[in-house]
Amino acid sequence: MTALTLSTSGAATLRADALVVGVAKGGKGLVLAPGAEAVDKAFGGKLAAVLETLGASGAEGELTKLPAPDGLKAPVVIAAGLGPVPDKDGGYDAEALRRAAGSAARSLAGSKKAGFALPVGTVEDAEAVAEGALLGAYAFTAYQRGENKLDPKASSGAKLPLAEVAMLGTKPRDKAFKAAAERSVALVEEINRARDLINTPPNDLYPESFAAVATAAGKEHGVKVQVLDEKALVKGGYGGILGVGQGAARGPRLVKLAYTHPKAEKTLALVGKGITYDSGGISLKPAGHNETMKCDMAGAAAVFAAVVAAARLGLRVNVTGWLALAENMPSGNATRPGDVLNMYSGKTVEVLNTDAEGRLVLADALTRASEEKPDAIVDVATLTGAMVLALGNRTFGIMANDDAFRTSVHEIAEEVGEASWPMPLPADLRKGMDSPTADIANMGERMGGGLVAGLFLKEFVGEGIAWAHLDIAGPAFHEGAPYGYTPKGGTGSAVRTLVKLAERTAAGDLG
């Protein structure tokens, strides 16, 4: 991953491929953000005027490149837009800093080193810039080897990410700034691990191989890992996970990751949907809807990354992760619409649509997680297209059995820069899942389908346990052009929210 350093050099003396400064939209024109003073001096105090001549407005996401004048060791200056100038009493919004740093880092792919002279007056500002730059400097190149036996000179043309981010204007010897930098590196490395998993083709990432990745990471970072294979799942009665996975040639897994702290007073359980490929099963997806279904394990990837991040950060909280892993494939052995599954909880579920499989694997995992009586459970899943219709591609929905807990998770998500929205669980929608054959059906009313899925999951949460459900179907996989620090492909959605939730739980801020 891209290296992060807190540089003691000034902007004028730093030897790098480029310098990144911030600019904003003021009431009377372009405004240079704090950190750009030395660069402005090298331009004879006319940097803002030069940028305006080039058409720069300071709008968020805007980048303007120009050659550096004498007086700077770097040959290129990049002005990154921060949006409107903040009020006098407040600094720049953390998310604006993240996105500006991310945009600049993406534009510097192929470069060795860049100096980031963005506003870092506080530790929080520095952390936002570090996160944005490191998240922006990401590329999934594992399968772009540039090899061509017919034409050895041919290349995929893929550029490696920016190799080093040198942050200027921080206090490198200050413990708080150093801790913020270390947190950013650990967090982003795990987010990028989640992104890599999401982007990995399903012929290489399947339940067994995902479990192997989790096992290796657990050994490296002191996380205890337990893997239940098909025999163990049959013995344990995990009918939901087995039912979804029985049509695939490669069997399902339930993976438990446990990070414990000797002084922890609270336990947080995280449950992730891990459908490594979703064809829809017998209820086959129509053409055009399955090309990106390798991303249907993004919830499990987020949970995995969050548990490992908590371990690396040494958080004073016990965090348990449950990865419900299966491939949903059609075959002669696949679950059929009309089949009834005997779930781990003891409930029976009539399967009306095999493409509503995520809730089935999550149900078993939620029941198992509830047995350990954690203080709270959060599940994460690319669960429903209905949530994408409701909230779009960049916002995830939050449902919960406790309004205060739902509000806390929503506020945390907004704080870390992950767009979210609280959603209800209307009791009247539960009746639509009544089954004449089983205890409950896996489908209900079509309208409000995302909420119906949440109501289904609620049935499998232990009594008295605070629970929240994050439907990340929209933001988990980005199919459009990259923006800010968001790449094309897997995004690592919800990891930052889960880690901050663990930090708040460790601090006792969630009650």
Side-chain angles (χ1 to χ4, degrees):
M1 192 183 85
T2 300
L4 175 69
T5 57
L6 301 182
S7 179
T8 56
S9 299
T13 58
L14 180 73
R15 294 186 180 277
D17 296 305
L19 287 173
V20 179
V21 297
V23 292
K25 298 177 70 172
K28 297 182 179 180
L30 201 66
V31 175
L32 301 180
E37 295 84 0
V39 178
D40 185 39
K41 183 178 179 180
F43 278 88
K46 297 180 179 181
L47 177 57
V50 172
L51 288 168
E52 285 186 331
T53 300
L54 293 174
S57 67
E60 194 171 303
E62 178 185 80
L63 295 178
T64 306
K65 291 186 179 183
L66 63 165
D70 293 338
L72 298 179
K73 298 295 184 182
V76 175
V77 172
I78 298 177
L82 294 168
V85 174
D87 297 334
K88 292 182 180 179
D89 296 334
Y92 286 89
D93 177 71
E95 184 63 4
L97 292 174
R98 283 191 201 96
R99 290 181 179 178
S103 294
R106 280 194 300 103
S107 74
L108 288 162
S111 300
K112 293 182 178 180
K113 181 177 181 179
F116 282 70
L118 294 169
V120 288
T122 67
V123 172
E124 292 76 17
D125 290 344
E127 191 167 343
V129 171
E131 280 184 17
L134 294 177
L135 287 170
Y138 169 83
F140 184 67
T141 59
Y143 293 83
Q144 295 176 332
R145 301 187 178 97
E147 297 176 359
N148 187 327
K149 292 182 179 180
L150 296 177
D151 183 1
K153 295 181 180 179
S155 171
S156 65
K159 291 183 179 180
L160 294 176
L162 171 65
E164 181 183 347
V165 170
M167 288 182 58
L168 307 176
T170 60
K171 301 173 182 177
R173 295 180 180 84
D174 185 287
K175 290 183 179 179
F177 278 89
K178 290 174 66 177
E182 291 170 359
R183 180 189 183 278
S184 297
V185 169
L187 177 62
V188 175
E189 283 184 350
E190 295 313 316
I191 292 173
N192 285 347
R193 191 203 298 264
R195 289 171 165 180
D196 285 348
L197 285 168
I198 297 165
N199 289 327
T200 298
N203 58 315
D204 283 343
L205 188 75
Y206 43 92
E208 184 179 3
S209 63
F210 195 152
V213 172
T215 300
K219 290 180 180 179
E220 181 181 359
H221 297 292
V223 175
K224 186 177 180 181
V225 181
Q226 178 186 11
V227 179
L228 299 186
D229 61 13
E230 289 167 277
K231 290 183 179 179
L233 292 171
V234 170
K235 184 177 180 180
Y238 292 88
I241 297 174
L242 288 165
V244 173
Q246 71 187 42
R250 296 176 290 199
R253 299 288 187 273
L254 177 62
V255 179
K256 176 187 177 182
L257 303 101
Y259 160 68
T260 57
H261 191 286
K263 295 182 180 180
E265 297 179 355
K266 298 282 187 179
T267 298
L268 178 65
L270 308 176
V271 177
K273 173 188 173 183
I275 304 300
T276 57
Y277 183 75
D278 182 18
S279 69
I282 297 295
S283 305
L284 194 67
K285 292 179 182 293
H289 288 75
N290 47 20
E291 287 79 2
T292 61
M293 281 300 102
K294 65 181 181 180
C295 79
D296 214 19
M297 37 59 66
V303 166
F304 168 45
V307 176
V308 176
R312 293 182 61 175
L313 296 172
L315 302 185
R316 192 169 172 170
V317 60
N318 296 329
V319 184
T320 303
W322 301 87
L323 315 181
L325 309 176
E327 281 187 305
N328 186 23
M329 298 292 287
S331 75
N333 294 323
T335 293
R336 296 152 293 228
D339 283 356
V340 173
L341 303 180
N342 294 294
M343 309 296 284
Y344 179 74
S345 67
K347 291 183 188 296
T348 55
V349 175
E350 182 182 12
V351 179
L352 298 180
N353 186 330
T354 64
D355 196 22
E357 85 298 330
R359 64 199 71 183
L360 298 174
V361 300
L362 287 174
D364 276 356
L366 284 168
T367 304
R368 179 64 186 89
S370 296
E371 288 181 337
E372 300 191 352
K373 300 188 183 305
D375 294 284
I377 298 176
V378 179
D379 77 71
V380 188
T382 49
L383 205 59
T384 64
M387 197 56 56
V388 184
L389 292 174
L391 299 177
N393 290 317
R394 297 190 183 186
T395 303
F396 61 74
I398 306 175
M399 286 153 264
N401 61 1
D402 180 272
D403 289 346
F405 187 50
R406 181 186 62 192
T407 298
S408 293
V409 175
H410 171 56
E411 290 175 347
I412 286 171
E414 295 296 306
E415 178 186 337
V416 300
E418 295 197 303
S420 68
W421 197 250
M423 303 291 284
L425 289 174
D428 62 284
L429 290 177
R430 169 61 182 84
K431 185 173 178 58
M433 290 184 284
D434 287 347
S435 166
T437 306
D439 295 324
I440 189 172
N442 77 328
M443 292 291 288
E445 294 183 30
R446 180 169 175 266
M447 299 303 174
L451 311 183
V452 170
L455 286 165
F456 180 91
L457 296 178
K458 183 182 176 183
E459 298 268 332
F460 298 87
V461 177
E463 187 174 353
I465 300 174
W467 159 77
H469 160 56
L470 311 186
D471 190 336
I472 62 170
F477 194 85
H478 179 56
E479 295 186 62
Y483 65 93
Y485 53 81
T486 300
K488 186 178 179 68
T491 64
S493 177
V495 177
R496 285 180 288 157
T497 297
L498 296 179
V499 173
K500 180 60 73 172
L501 176 63
E503 289 175 328
R504 289 285 179 82
T505 304
D509 291 345
L510 290 176

